Amino acid sequence: MQESIMEQLWQTSHLQGGNLAYVEQLFETYLTDPNAVPEEWRSYFDKLPSVDGYQGRDVIHSSIREQFEHISRNQRFLANNGVPVSATSDADKKQIRVLQLINGYRFRGHQEAKLDPLGVWQRPKVEDLDPSFHDLSESDRDLEFQTGSLSFGSETMKLGDIVDGLRQTYCGSIGAEYMHIVDTRIKRWFQQRMEPVRSEPGYESNTRKHILERLTAAEGLEKYLGSRYPGVKRFGLEGAESLIPCMDELIQRAGHYGAKEIVLGMAHRGRLNILVNTLGKNPKELFDEFEGKRLADSGSGDVKYHQGFSSNVMTDRGEIHLAMAFNPSHLEIVSPVVEGSVRARQTRRKDNEGNQVVPVIMHGDAAFAGQGVVMETFQMSQTRGFGVGGTIHIVINNQVGFTTSRQEDARSTEYCTDVAKMVHAPILHVNADDPEAVVFVTQMAMDYRNEFKGDIVIDLVCYRRRGHNEADEPAATQPVMYEKIRKLKTTRTLYADKLIAAGVITEDESKQMENDYRDALDNGEHVVKSLVKEPNKDLYVDWTPHIGHEWTAKCKSSVALKTIQRLGKKLTQVPEGFSVQRQVSKIVSDREKMTAGALPINWGYGEIMAYATLLNEGHPIRLTGQDVGRGTFSHRHAVLHNQKDGSRHIALAQLSEKQPKFEIYDSLLSEEAVMAFEYGYSTTTPDTLVVWEAQFGDFANGAQVVIDQFLTSGEHKWGRLCGLTLLLPHGYEGQGPEHSSARLERFLQLSAEQNIQVCVPTTPSQVFHMLRRQVKRPLRKPLIAITPKSLLRHKEATSNLDDLTSGTFQTVLSEKELPDAKKVTRVILCSGKVFFDLLEKKKTDERDDVAIVRIEQLYPFPGEDLDETLAQYVKLKHVVWCQEEPMNQGAWYCSQHHMRNALQRLNPKLNLQYAGRDASAAPAAGHMSVHIEQQKKLVNDAFEI
Ligand SMILES: Cc1ncc(C[n+]2csc(CCOP(=O)(O)OP(=O)(O)O)c2C)c(N)n1
Ligand SMILES: [Mg+2]
């Protein structure tokens, strides 16, 4: 009789003594080139059944590994008590196929899972979940097979039991996608969580009653609001009520693992329900909002389903602070904001592992699949500068986005969650009509984060009982779906029926639960039992010192010479043996000379010294953006790189032992998510100077949503203060349309009610004072700083140490050498780099009749300071605004009225004239020669008009 191939292989001793790696290697080679492996192995591998639908090599590879691991362990195929199951070639092959079948379920079971409460998903049958696909027949069901790594609690089982167990585990209410993860530990972890219990948690009566109580609350609130305020928009949760028990479990479990804070982000859907039933907002307050009784104390206020909220609830390990982020209508943009807020809280708590602060972000299915910022947020999740130790993502997957249907139109991916696979996040799809399954996956999700510090997604497959909002008629666009929905019992009813049938509660008790909840709402009582009525104040940050200040608030931004000298020395010290690159070395030695007063200080020095002095005074600093360590234009070099081994030296982080944290990270190549992250960070930390730098100012418009919806309007809508600084390189230097403009006009157009500051500093001392005053003044307002490129090295754009040791940020700046005021008949007003072009012309042409005045803060406009400057020119006849930007851009349209007002106050006969580029669709010319010609003309015009 011919020996089985496995036995032959075994006897070759390839598999003994841990030669698995060898076999794996062979298999890998075979997958890429079958002819590259010996014939005997090729014919063996050829005969292995394949796992359909998964092209990745890892699929087959791991099944092989399992198989051989097993052989190693058991020496050969053995049944109970060492009795061989079969030594025939056929039986061996069958055993392999059984292992393949097991693998098939682990990979693709989710595709046959009963995830859709509506039963409208059209899902093709998955061939490789059928034993016959693996040449296993009905009659094999009674044969015993090795279970391999299957965690069913028995080394061998009948095929029938294996298949039934697999269907229960992987094709019930939970569809787990985890086999795309390459880390075997994680795959095993999920198998060991799900397989032993066949994905059925078997909760005790008390837990089941609690789940029903939470569902009662979820449904009860919507019913109540629906009958009390019919037709009023609330973006109800109906159809996704399981979210409420899910959140309850998340919070309790996070608390159990020692979390002290959870930051929540979510869109419109179910938000009011979460606010009342999870965060414990007083229902009375919500009713007042419905009735229009609660108006914002100041600012515009916002609709109720964008409001943030915070509260403290009790868990078995103490109090936990919950903070729901305010968000705009723009879906998904709140996600990176939440991450930034979490990171700031973790930093404050020195929670390097991310155990104490946990982000939980809820999404809509359409938004999660469609919005690019979701991908950016995942891309940040494991980076040095933006990681938070894992985020729990919950998708409220109601299978429709507004009126857009799930698959044909909303996306190209199979699931709305597929984007999460890019970071190998496990994805747990779950039927929301099985609340126990929902709680089970929730527990796994929180346990997973605790164990592996990675992102995880719960895809709560549910439906939307009503239209997009309560005024919408959904049947107009989704007739079939809504036909089904109308006939469907609610999740709560289904679950209550189940518990009644199981004898866990009586019908009366179920009714009583509903009545109790409604009574609580009627009485305007809090409905979260674990709510802490008198929260621990330590869990809150005190922003009161920063409220109610004018931008003119004074501060001391100058620094004593000896402090600057001491810090200057520290900044230029390099560790023993650290090899600095040649050009960088020159920058360092120049900085030494600047500290000694032997060289005028440049921009890089002014900026770095602002950071050093702020750190010295106890303010933490966080600086991010693309290439910020070096600076796009090589002016910063805050991070030095050892030429011998690539190690880093950051002098600003090593000024003293007691100094606060200095963080500087080159960001991923994203503007939107990164700027949103920094907004979230800065709205959480009043004392930190948070700076985001664009590579070129133009790129900031990739984050326009953040600028419009948060930075410029967040305080007005939600009362959230933010001191974020944006550094936006800008300047017309002939580099073409795309590297010239930071779109200054956009920021100025968005400026109102002192919402932001727009500054255009032109000297090193100005940037020094501007950055310092951003933290030293009590007010917290976003600072938009238009920063230079060529000016970084301009010989005229320098300062002296004296300018740092005295003075302050000057909103209006005259020439260094003041003109004789009596001779001046013309004032040229300008901002930014063009000043130096004008100055050069003035010197060349010896125009002592001209004074050039820089407006270094365009918003809030420094009217008084300008009045004072202009007042000294008593013979003034001409006033010109000169800008490099085209007429429809730059400051002209948005700021001219401020300047005209100043002239009106000085002398109503004075008119303001314009010298600058003509209006243009593109920000700048594409050819250097055109640029030069235009620049020359506008400078000339300023002197002649
Ligand atoms: C960026 C953005 N684009 C468009 C909209 C308008 N809008 C509001 S809700 C919605 C549908 C959202 O669908 P989904 O994410 O599935 O959430 P659901 O409403 O179904 O809970 C759309 C398109 C928006 N709010 N934000
Ligand atoms: Mg949806």
Side-chain angles (χ1 to χ4, degrees), residues 235 267-269 328-332 363-368 371 396-403 464 468:
F235 298 104
H268 51 287
R269 178 80 49 219
S329 191
H330 290 57
L331 294 167
E332 291 303 336
H363 314 263
D365 52 319
F368 197 64
Q371 291 290 302
I396 304 170
N397 180 358
N398 55 21
Q399 314 184 46
V400 60
F402 221 134
T403 65
R464 193 184 72 191
H468 175 65

mmCIF file of all heavy atoms in Angstrom, residues 235 267-269 328-332 363-368 371 396-403 464 468, ligand 1:
data_model
loop_
_atom_site.group_PDB
_atom_site.id
_atom_site.type_symbol
_atom_site.label_atom_id
_atom_site.label_comp_id
_atom_site.label_asym_id
_atom_site.label_seq_id
_atom_site.Cartn_x
_atom_site.Cartn_y
_atom_site.Cartn_z
ATOM 1 N N PHE A 235 -33.252 63.868 14.191
ATOM 2 C CA PHE A 235 -32.390 62.812 13.660
ATOM 3 C C PHE A 235 -32.377 61.614 14.605
ATOM 4 O O PHE A 235 -31.354 61.219 15.147
ATOM 5 C CB PHE A 235 -30.973 63.350 13.417
ATOM 6 C CG PHE A 235 -30.931 64.445 12.406
ATOM 7 C CD1 PHE A 235 -30.781 65.772 12.792
ATOM 8 C CD2 PHE A 235 -31.086 64.180 11.050
ATOM 9 C CE1 PHE A 235 -30.767 66.797 11.859
ATOM 10 C CE2 PHE A 235 -31.076 65.192 10.114
ATOM 11 C CZ PHE A 235 -30.921 66.507 10.513
ATOM 12 N N ALA A 267 -22.050 62.353 14.835
ATOM 13 C CA ALA A 267 -22.803 63.262 13.975
ATOM 14 C C ALA A 267 -24.208 63.444 14.538
ATOM 15 O O ALA A 267 -24.446 63.282 15.740
ATOM 16 C CB ALA A 267 -22.824 62.695 12.570
ATOM 17 N N HIS A 268 -25.135 63.736 13.669
ATOM 18 C CA HIS A 268 -26.502 64.066 14.057
ATOM 19 C C HIS A 268 -27.291 62.876 14.581
ATOM 20 O O HIS A 268 -28.026 62.978 15.538
ATOM 21 C CB HIS A 268 -27.221 64.638 12.828
ATOM 22 C CG HIS A 268 -27.068 63.754 11.617
ATOM 23 N ND1 HIS A 268 -25.877 63.656 10.931
ATOM 24 C CD2 HIS A 268 -27.914 62.889 11.002
ATOM 25 C CE1 HIS A 268 -26.006 62.780 9.937
ATOM 26 N NE2 HIS A 268 -27.230 62.305 9.958
ATOM 27 N N ARG A 269 -27.113 61.711 13.903
ATOM 28 C CA ARG A 269 -28.009 60.576 14.157
ATOM 29 C C ARG A 269 -27.906 60.058 15.588
ATOM 30 O O ARG A 269 -26.845 59.613 16.012
ATOM 31 C CB ARG A 269 -27.658 59.445 13.174
ATOM 32 C CG ARG A 269 -28.465 58.173 13.318
ATOM 33 C CD ARG A 269 -29.824 58.233 12.683
ATOM 34 N NE ARG A 269 -29.760 58.738 11.327
ATOM 35 C CZ ARG A 269 -30.687 59.574 10.813
ATOM 36 N NH1 ARG A 269 -31.720 59.952 11.524
ATOM 37 N NH2 ARG A 269 -30.567 60.007 9.583
ATOM 38 N N PRO A 328 -19.621 70.456 13.714
ATOM 39 C CA PRO A 328 -20.422 71.125 12.698
ATOM 40 C C PRO A 328 -21.179 70.082 11.889
ATOM 41 O O PRO A 328 -21.070 68.889 12.136
ATOM 42 C CB PRO A 328 -19.358 71.789 11.836
ATOM 43 C CG PRO A 328 -18.195 70.861 11.907
ATOM 44 C CD PRO A 328 -18.239 70.220 13.273
ATOM 45 N N SER A 329 -21.889 70.534 10.907
ATOM 46 C CA SER A 329 -22.656 69.628 10.069
ATOM 47 C C SER A 329 -21.738 68.750 9.225
ATOM 48 O O SER A 329 -22.095 67.635 8.873
ATOM 49 C CB SER A 329 -23.554 70.472 9.165
ATOM 50 O OG SER A 329 -24.486 69.659 8.530
ATOM 51 N N HIS A 330 -20.575 69.248 8.904
ATOM 52 C CA HIS A 330 -19.661 68.524 8.014
ATOM 53 C C HIS A 330 -19.285 67.187 8.611
ATOM 54 O O HIS A 330 -18.526 67.117 9.583
ATOM 55 C CB HIS A 330 -18.411 69.361 7.744
ATOM 56 C CG HIS A 330 -18.716 70.542 6.887
ATOM 57 N ND1 HIS A 330 -19.657 71.466 7.255
ATOM 58 C CD2 HIS A 330 -18.241 70.915 5.690
ATOM 59 C CE1 HIS A 330 -19.744 72.379 6.298
ATOM 60 N NE2 HIS A 330 -18.904 72.064 5.342
ATOM 61 N N LEU A 331 -19.802 66.165 7.998
ATOM 62 C CA LEU A 331 -19.640 64.833 8.559
ATOM 63 C C LEU A 331 -18.177 64.425 8.590
ATOM 64 O O LEU A 331 -17.419 64.733 7.681
ATOM 65 C CB LEU A 331 -20.465 63.838 7.738
ATOM 66 C CG LEU A 331 -21.984 64.086 7.853
ATOM 67 C CD1 LEU A 331 -22.742 63.305 6.801
ATOM 68 C CD2 LEU A 331 -22.481 63.735 9.237
ATOM 69 N N GLU A 332 -17.835 63.751 9.653
ATOM 70 C CA GLU A 332 -16.533 63.118 9.866
ATOM 71 C C GLU A 332 -15.404 64.060 10.263
ATOM 72 O O GLU A 332 -14.374 63.608 10.722
ATOM 73 C CB GLU A 332 -16.096 62.300 8.642
ATOM 74 C CG GLU A 332 -16.941 61.054 8.433
ATOM 75 C CD GLU A 332 -16.941 60.137 9.632
ATOM 76 O OE1 GLU A 332 -15.996 60.181 10.445
ATOM 77 O OE2 GLU A 332 -17.914 59.383 9.795
ATOM 78 N N HIS A 363 -20.090 57.027 13.760
ATOM 79 C CA HIS A 363 -20.142 57.463 12.361
ATOM 80 C C HIS A 363 -21.437 57.007 11.713
ATOM 81 O O HIS A 363 -22.035 56.022 12.141
ATOM 82 C CB HIS A 363 -18.998 56.827 11.563
ATOM 83 C CG HIS A 363 -17.653 56.876 12.219
ATOM 84 N ND1 HIS A 363 -16.725 57.838 11.917
ATOM 85 C CD2 HIS A 363 -17.078 56.087 13.157
ATOM 86 C CE1 HIS A 363 -15.616 57.621 12.622
ATOM 87 N NE2 HIS A 363 -15.814 56.564 13.392
ATOM 88 N N GLY A 364 -21.807 57.676 10.619
ATOM 89 C CA GLY A 364 -22.856 57.152 9.745
ATOM 90 C C GLY A 364 -22.192 56.289 8.687
ATOM 91 O O GLY A 364 -21.025 56.486 8.355
ATOM 92 N N ASP A 365 -22.933 55.324 8.160
ATOM 93 C CA ASP A 365 -22.330 54.410 7.176
ATOM 94 C C ASP A 365 -21.894 55.145 5.910
ATOM 95 O O ASP A 365 -20.791 54.921 5.398
ATOM 96 C CB ASP A 365 -23.289 53.265 6.817
ATOM 97 C CG ASP A 365 -24.670 53.753 6.403
ATOM 98 O OD1 ASP A 365 -25.183 54.688 7.043
ATOM 99 O OD2 ASP A 365 -25.235 53.197 5.448
ATOM 100 N N ALA A 366 -22.731 56.041 5.403
ATOM 101 C CA ALA A 366 -22.391 56.728 4.158
ATOM 102 C C ALA A 366 -21.199 57.653 4.355
ATOM 103 O O ALA A 366 -20.289 57.702 3.523
ATOM 104 C CB ALA A 366 -23.588 57.515 3.651
ATOM 105 N N ALA A 367 -21.192 58.363 5.457
ATOM 106 C CA ALA A 367 -20.103 59.304 5.725
ATOM 107 C C ALA A 367 -18.790 58.563 5.946
ATOM 108 O O ALA A 367 -17.731 58.973 5.456
ATOM 109 C CB ALA A 367 -20.445 60.161 6.940
ATOM 110 N N PHE A 368 -18.850 57.464 6.665
ATOM 111 C CA PHE A 368 -17.630 56.706 6.969
ATOM 112 C C PHE A 368 -16.997 56.186 5.679
ATOM 113 O O PHE A 368 -15.786 56.185 5.514
ATOM 114 C CB PHE A 368 -17.987 55.538 7.894
ATOM 115 C CG PHE A 368 -16.818 54.925 8.607
ATOM 116 C CD1 PHE A 368 -16.077 55.659 9.521
ATOM 117 C CD2 PHE A 368 -16.457 53.603 8.390
ATOM 118 C CE1 PHE A 368 -15.006 55.097 10.202
ATOM 119 C CE2 PHE A 368 -15.387 53.021 9.067
ATOM 120 C CZ PHE A 368 -14.666 53.775 9.973
ATOM 121 N N GLN A 371 -16.133 59.973 3.189
ATOM 122 C CA GLN A 371 -15.325 61.146 3.514
ATOM 123 C C GLN A 371 -13.835 60.797 3.645
ATOM 124 O O GLN A 371 -13.461 59.914 4.419
ATOM 125 C CB GLN A 371 -15.824 61.784 4.823
ATOM 126 C CG GLN A 371 -17.196 62.436 4.679
ATOM 127 C CD GLN A 371 -17.164 63.697 3.824
ATOM 128 O OE1 GLN A 371 -16.445 64.634 4.119
ATOM 129 N NE2 GLN A 371 -17.938 63.703 2.749
ATOM 130 N N ILE A 396 -22.975 53.620 12.855
ATOM 131 C CA ILE A 396 -24.425 53.417 12.916
ATOM 132 C C ILE A 396 -24.851 53.163 11.474
ATOM 133 O O ILE A 396 -25.156 54.077 10.712
ATOM 134 C CB ILE A 396 -25.133 54.655 13.508
ATOM 135 C CG1 ILE A 396 -24.549 54.985 14.877
ATOM 136 C CG2 ILE A 396 -26.636 54.427 13.601
ATOM 137 C CD1 ILE A 396 -25.005 56.323 15.436
ATOM 138 N N ASN A 397 -24.793 51.906 11.117
ATOM 139 C CA ASN A 397 -24.948 51.527 9.707
ATOM 140 C C ASN A 397 -26.422 51.245 9.404
ATOM 141 O O ASN A 397 -26.870 50.098 9.461
ATOM 142 C CB ASN A 397 -24.066 50.307 9.435
ATOM 143 C CG ASN A 397 -24.159 49.846 8.000
ATOM 144 O OD1 ASN A 397 -24.914 50.408 7.197
ATOM 145 N ND2 ASN A 397 -23.408 48.818 7.668
ATOM 146 N N ASN A 398 -27.142 52.324 9.087
ATOM 147 C CA ASN A 398 -28.572 52.154 8.791
ATOM 148 C C ASN A 398 -28.820 51.915 7.302
ATOM 149 O O ASN A 398 -29.943 51.978 6.837
ATOM 150 C CB ASN A 398 -29.375 53.346 9.313
ATOM 151 C CG ASN A 398 -28.836 54.657 8.767
ATOM 152 O OD1 ASN A 398 -28.159 54.686 7.750
ATOM 153 N ND2 ASN A 398 -29.149 55.751 9.445
ATOM 154 N N GLN A 399 -27.758 51.637 6.586
ATOM 155 C CA GLN A 399 -27.837 51.183 5.190
ATOM 156 C C GLN A 399 -28.358 52.234 4.225
ATOM 157 O O GLN A 399 -28.792 51.905 3.122
ATOM 158 C CB GLN A 399 -28.688 49.925 5.086
ATOM 159 C CG GLN A 399 -28.335 48.897 6.137
ATOM 160 C CD GLN A 399 -29.103 47.612 5.970
ATOM 161 O OE1 GLN A 399 -29.216 47.101 4.877
ATOM 162 N NE2 GLN A 399 -29.613 47.098 7.055
ATOM 163 N N VAL A 400 -28.348 53.464 4.655
ATOM 164 C CA VAL A 400 -28.790 54.535 3.769
ATOM 165 C C VAL A 400 -28.132 55.837 4.248
ATOM 166 O O VAL A 400 -27.878 56.016 5.435
ATOM 167 C CB VAL A 400 -30.344 54.635 3.772
ATOM 168 C CG1 VAL A 400 -30.905 54.920 5.144
ATOM 169 C CG2 VAL A 400 -30.858 55.630 2.745
ATOM 170 N N GLY A 401 -27.811 56.690 3.308
ATOM 171 C CA GLY A 401 -27.262 57.997 3.653
ATOM 172 C C GLY A 401 -28.160 59.041 3.021
ATOM 173 O O GLY A 401 -28.151 59.187 1.800
ATOM 174 N N PHE A 402 -28.961 59.689 3.823
ATOM 175 C CA PHE A 402 -29.960 60.645 3.314
ATOM 176 C C PHE A 402 -30.928 59.866 2.427
ATOM 177 O O PHE A 402 -31.735 59.090 2.934
ATOM 178 C CB PHE A 402 -29.263 61.752 2.520
ATOM 179 C CG PHE A 402 -29.846 63.112 2.789
ATOM 180 C CD1 PHE A 402 -29.024 64.202 3.042
ATOM 181 C CD2 PHE A 402 -31.228 63.331 2.778
ATOM 182 C CE1 PHE A 402 -29.547 65.467 3.282
ATOM 183 C CE2 PHE A 402 -31.750 64.585 3.018
ATOM 184 C CZ PHE A 402 -30.914 65.654 3.263
ATOM 185 N N THR A 403 -30.811 59.960 1.089
ATOM 186 C CA THR A 403 -31.660 59.120 0.235
ATOM 187 C C THR A 403 -30.811 58.187 -0.630
ATOM 188 O O THR A 403 -31.328 57.542 -1.531
ATOM 189 C CB THR A 403 -32.522 59.981 -0.713
ATOM 190 O OG1 THR A 403 -31.652 60.656 -1.615
ATOM 191 C CG2 THR A 403 -33.358 60.999 0.033
ATOM 192 N N ARG A 464 -33.082 52.618 9.599
ATOM 193 C CA ARG A 464 -33.560 53.946 9.996
ATOM 194 C C ARG A 464 -35.071 53.903 9.888
ATOM 195 O O ARG A 464 -35.611 53.803 8.803
ATOM 196 C CB ARG A 464 -32.958 54.964 9.017
ATOM 197 C CG ARG A 464 -33.076 56.400 9.408
ATOM 198 C CD ARG A 464 -32.523 57.280 8.289
ATOM 199 N NE ARG A 464 -33.427 57.295 7.141
ATOM 200 C CZ ARG A 464 -33.136 57.802 5.935
ATOM 201 N NH1 ARG A 464 -31.948 58.328 5.711
ATOM 202 N NH2 ARG A 464 -34.006 57.782 4.950
ATOM 203 N N HIS A 468 -34.687 60.628 6.691
ATOM 204 C CA HIS A 468 -33.410 61.179 7.129
ATOM 205 C C HIS A 468 -33.619 62.048 8.376
ATOM 206 O O HIS A 468 -32.864 62.002 9.331
ATOM 207 C CB HIS A 468 -32.775 61.998 6.005
ATOM 208 C CG HIS A 468 -31.528 62.678 6.438
ATOM 209 N ND1 HIS A 468 -30.404 61.978 6.800
ATOM 210 C CD2 HIS A 468 -31.228 63.989 6.595
ATOM 211 C CE1 HIS A 468 -29.461 62.836 7.153
ATOM 212 N NE2 HIS A 468 -29.929 64.051 7.040
HETATM 213 C C1 LIG B 1 -19.445 66.658 4.471
HETATM 214 C C2 LIG B 1 -20.932 66.606 4.392
HETATM 215 N N1 LIG B 1 -21.535 66.457 3.213
HETATM 216 C C3 LIG B 1 -22.890 66.413 3.128
HETATM 217 C C4 LIG B 1 -23.653 66.530 4.237
HETATM 218 C C5 LIG B 1 -25.192 66.498 4.140
HETATM 219 N N2 LIG B 1 -25.689 65.270 4.822
HETATM 220 C C6 LIG B 1 -26.144 65.307 6.069
HETATM 221 S S1 LIG B 1 -26.565 63.790 6.633
HETATM 222 C C7 LIG B 1 -26.163 63.070 5.188
HETATM 223 C C8 LIG B 1 -26.302 61.588 5.023
HETATM 224 C C9 LIG B 1 -25.452 60.888 6.014
HETATM 225 O O1 LIG B 1 -25.585 59.519 5.872
HETATM 226 P P1 LIG B 1 -24.932 58.564 6.925
HETATM 227 O O2 LIG B 1 -23.520 58.905 7.134
HETATM 228 O O3 LIG B 1 -25.212 57.174 6.508
HETATM 229 O O4 LIG B 1 -25.701 58.920 8.286
HETATM 230 P P2 LIG B 1 -27.251 58.718 8.617
HETATM 231 O O5 LIG B 1 -27.929 60.011 8.410
HETATM 232 O O6 LIG B 1 -27.764 57.649 7.735
HETATM 233 O O7 LIG B 1 -27.273 58.311 10.038
HETATM 234 C C10 LIG B 1 -25.701 64.017 4.280
HETATM 235 C C11 LIG B 1 -25.280 63.709 2.904
HETATM 236 C C12 LIG B 1 -22.992 66.720 5.453
HETATM 237 N N3 LIG B 1 -23.647 66.906 6.590
HETATM 238 N N4 LIG B 1 -21.651 66.736 5.512
#
